[in-house]
Amino acid sequence: MKALISVDMEGISGIVHSPETNPERYDYQRGRELMTAEANAVIAGVLDAEPTADVLVADAHGTFRNLLPEQLDRRARLVRGKPRALNMLAGLDEETDAALFVGYHVRAGEGPGVLAHTMNGEILDVRVTGRAQGEGAQATGHAPGEDVQVTGRSLGEIGLNAAMAGHLGVPVVLLSGDDAACAEAAALIPEAVTVPVKEALGMAAAVTLHPEEARDRLRRAAADAVSRRTEIPPLAFTGPLDVEVDLASPHTIDLATLIPGVSRAAGARTVAFTAPDYATAYRLILLLAQLATIRPA
């Protein structure tokens, strides 16, 4: 059995403010330690359920160099650094049996949610129109695995990454973060196990579990989620897909329209493209996120 654990930072228990997640700020080292400890709890849970599992951990925050390698459970392998294929999901492939998202956050524009955003502050919204399997089946009355028409569904990092995993046939079996992130995941993948480790009060405030309590819950939940992985359908979009991305900077929009197939859409801040499949759409969205980091000369 092979599992990929993708670990972000904003949804870790105890973390509520950007100085705890930013390498240039005073409280970052403490945030790294909390992040690594929660990753270890999930590794332990996976191995409680599947003692011989091959466990990869993808550092999925910011620089992708946050988890402390010397403190990570030695039974897992660490995927670290950037740029890299599949971004927050590096290490995922068709042979992976389950993906687990740890420390994730709600998408931009939703909330209240702790440190809510989508990839970076320049991406305001991503809307995907197409068809999906396993998309909110219980909530919509559709049978699990049945195609569901999705019109302009807004996706943040949770949905974008879950759909990329689904494209490879991999179910997301667990997600942890604040209550808003867990609600976002439950709307997309009702069968997945969610672990709210804090209740968001705003962008930089929450009622949070004690870190040790959060880790205990994560370990138990990870074991349960991995044990039930065959009952959780992947979130798989089928192409072609129409994608609209709202961008904060006019300069980024100017750069984006240099990409073949990307055009300005209705509204001054929106670009649009059609992708033949979800993997192509995902790569283009990642490219737009990178373009957003370029400033005018």
Side-chain angles (χ1 to χ4, degrees), residues 225-260:
V226 167
S227 297
R228 297 197 293 108
R229 63 187 180 274
T230 59
E231 304 169 16
I232 301 172
L235 174 62
F237 285 86
T238 58
L241 301 170
D242 295 323
V243 181
E244 292 185 334
V245 182
D246 292 344
L247 298 163
S249 168
H251 179 65
T252 305
I253 295 173
D254 291 341
L255 292 174
T257 57
L258 299 176
I259 303 171

Side-chain angles (χ1 to χ4, degrees), residues 4-244:
L4 178 83
I5 304 171
S6 174
V7 190
D8 205 349
M9 203 171 193
E10 289 87 354
I12 298 295
S13 176
I15 289 179
V16 298
H17 202 276
S18 59
E20 297 163 325
T21 67
N22 187 333
E24 299 178 358
R25 302 296 295 276
Y26 66 92
D27 224 5
Y28 171 66
Q29 184 62 26
R30 180 169 169 272
R32 298 179 76 189
E33 292 171 355
L34 291 169
M35 180 186 183
T36 305
E38 286 202 4
N40 281 338
V42 176
I43 295 167
V46 171
L47 293 170
D48 287 344
E50 294 281 350
T52 61
D54 178 17
V55 181
L56 276 73
V57 178
D59 190 321
H61 173 74
T63 62
F64 295 171
R65 301 191 309 274
N66 309 278
L67 291 167
L68 299 166
E70 68 277 13
Q71 293 184 19
L72 197 69
D73 190 319
R74 65 188 298 168
R75 296 173 294 176
R77 293 179 292 148
L78 175 61
V79 186
R80 192 168 192 262
K82 67 187 333 182
R84 65 195 194 195
L86 294 188
N87 203 45
M88 295 175 74
L89 299 179
L92 190 81
D93 59 23
E94 293 90 344
E95 302 303 315
T96 306
D97 297 288
L100 302 91
F101 293 173
V102 179
Y104 270 55
H105 52 81
V106 74
R107 64 185 177 86
E110 288 296 302
V114 175
L115 299 170
H117 66 280
T118 299
M119 294 190 177
N120 54 42
E122 296 295 324
I123 292 185
L124 304 177
D125 193 18
V126 178
R127 296 178 297 279
V128 178
T129 297
R131 300 192 68 81
Q133 291 184 346
E135 190 270 337
Q138 293 177 1
T140 61
H142 290 264
E146 182 181 348
D147 275 5
V148 180
Q149 181 66 36
V150 180
T151 303
R153 165 57 68 89
S154 290
L155 299 176
E157 291 172 31
I158 294 170
L160 292 170
N161 289 325
M164 186 62 235
H167 181 76
L168 297 175
V170 181
V172 176
V173 301
L174 175 138
L175 179 134
S176 72
D178 67 15
D179 55 331
C182 290
E184 184 175 319
L188 291 166
I189 318 161
E191 302 86 354
V193 177
T194 57
V195 185
V197 298
K198 53 194 172 189
E199 178 186 352
L201 300 178
M203 186 68 172
V207 179
T208 179
L209 294 177
H210 188 284
E212 291 181 1
E213 174 64 23
R215 294 165 204 160
D216 288 345
R217 295 186 187 188
L218 282 167
R219 182 169 182 166
R220 293 192 298 268
D224 177 48
V226 167
S227 297
R228 297 197 293 108
R229 63 187 180 274
T230 59
E231 304 169 16
I232 301 172
L235 174 62
F237 285 86
T238 58
L241 301 170
D242 295 323
V243 181
E244 292 185 334

